[in-house]
Amino acid sequence: MKDNFSNQASGYSKFRPSYPPELIEHVVSFTESREMALDVATGNGQVAQLLSEYFETVYATDISENQLLHAKRQLNVIYKKLPAEKTDFHDKQFDLITVAQAIHWFDFDQFYAEVYRILKPDGIFAIIGYGLFKTNPESDKILSDFYYNIVGPFWDTERKYLDENYETIPFPFKELETLHFQNKFTWTFEQLVGYLETWSAVEHYKAHNNENPIDLIRKELELSWEAGNKTVVFPMLLRLGKLKM
């Protein structure tokens, strides 16, 4: 698993969009028991915090110590620095295992073998994510050019799985039918730019060119943003599965 986000841990904690509580409630509704859940590649613990309302104990793992330092503390959430593909958990330990906006970074074969080891036979495995957001038409044009052309060459190859709505990732589970969700926010221009700063491609561009690519679009984007409704809508991605016995 790659660590693309340690450097942006503070911004990630502040500007990354949260997950809809109704999506988490939907995922949890499939579980038969609510003793223990695991959120893999938890980042700043967004999903782990939401799961803590439903489960007695939630474990949350990440390879980035910096990300874990920015995670909110909760009595029934236990944070551990561990890779997704090799954990120290017991066999058949979890009722639910979630991965939010991170599955594309994993070694699929190794990770899925670990899921099969630590998930209970009747447990649920959930892949959660979000695609490129939409906003007002003028800002969308600028942001689309920024995403595909300006920082496009600096996306890791794994990003394609998100662009393909997680439909093309390996999924060796008995798939369950789910509802569709979206996440809607009203953002200031500072929040918009703050979110763009968390993109791994922006970080790669900075390292390669020694300049911030957002500066190339900042003025034009701000004008379109202030003239628009400042609404952003993220399409949510969700795949649920059970172990094939």
Side-chain angles (χ1 to χ4, degrees), residues 42-90:
T42 194
N44 61 352
Q46 287 180 330
V47 170
Q49 294 296 316
L50 292 169
L51 291 176
S52 72
E53 299 176 17
Y54 298 94
F55 289 84
E56 292 176 27
T57 305
V58 177
Y59 281 90
T61 63
D62 205 284
I63 59 170
S64 170
E65 193 158 341
N66 207 19
Q67 283 280 9
L68 294 175
L69 286 173
H70 285 85
K72 293 178 181 176
R73 269 34 200 178
Q74 190 95 4
L75 284 176
N76 64 333
V77 178
I78 301 167
Y79 293 101
K80 300 186 77 170
K81 184 182 177 184
L82 286 173
E85 298 88 350
K86 189 173 176 61
T87 72
D88 58 6
F89 299 116
H90 300 303

Side-chain angles (χ1 to χ4, degrees), residues 137-155:
E138 285 306 311
S139 294
D140 272 345
K141 287 179 190 174
I142 298 165
L143 290 164
S144 179
D145 181 61
F146 182 73
Y147 181 89
Y148 290 105
N149 299 319
I150 296 176
V151 300
F154 295 91
W155 287 111

Side-chain angles (χ1 to χ4, degrees), residues 188-235:
T188 64
F189 185 66
E190 180 195 16
Q191 287 174 303
L192 172 67
V193 171
Y195 171 63
L196 298 180
E197 290 275 11
T198 69
W199 286 5
S200 57
V202 169
E203 192 77 0
H204 294 333
Y205 184 105
K206 287 179 185 176
H208 188 268
N209 294 306
N210 203 29
E211 65 175 359
N212 189 339
I214 298 171
D215 291 340
L216 301 175
I217 63 167
R218 192 181 300 270
K219 287 183 180 178
E220 184 185 14
L221 182 60
E222 185 170 14
L223 285 171
S224 69
W225 194 256
E226 297 305 331
N229 60 8
K230 303 179 179 65
T231 298
V232 295
V233 180
F234 285 90

